[in-house]
Amino acid sequence: MGIFTPTAAQMARRETRGADRVRQRAGSDAIGAGAQTTILSATTEGATTTVRFDWRSRVFDGQSTGIFVAAGDRLRSFTIPPAH
């Protein structure tokens, strides 16, 4: 039986808020999964930065979009929207 590894495009909308959730997600999807990211493009409007990136890890591979929203000098939220 093979192992299914979803691509970034197959990931559903995922929004992360709060230090504990960011730390948990980093441990499961990023740092803990040996993630490597290549930024393909980035735009900023006000407090929102949208990044298109290529992601490689033991959890998933592929291109995706990340939306970062700042609140002062802190990150308010990070969202990977549904594939479009």
Side-chain angles (χ1 to χ4, degrees), residues 27-61:
S28 65
D29 291 3
I31 297 164
Q36 295 183 346
T37 336
T38 302
I39 303 299
L40 304 173
S41 65
T43 57
T44 300
E45 274 189 47
T48 302
T49 298
T50 302
V51 178
R52 186 80 183 145
F53 58 91
D54 185 58
W55 181 280
R56 304 286 168 206
S57 76
R58 290 185 298 274
V59 177
F60 61 85
D61 297 315

Side-chain angles (χ1 to χ4, degrees), residues 11-39:
M11 298 294 288
R13 175 186 172 95
R14 298 181 70 192
E15 185 170 342
T16 303
R17 291 178 184 255
D20 291 338
R21 282 290 298 132
V22 170
R23 201 171 292 109
Q24 178 184 19
R25 187 167 181 180
S28 65
D29 291 3
I31 297 164
Q36 295 183 346
T37 336
T38 302
I39 303 299

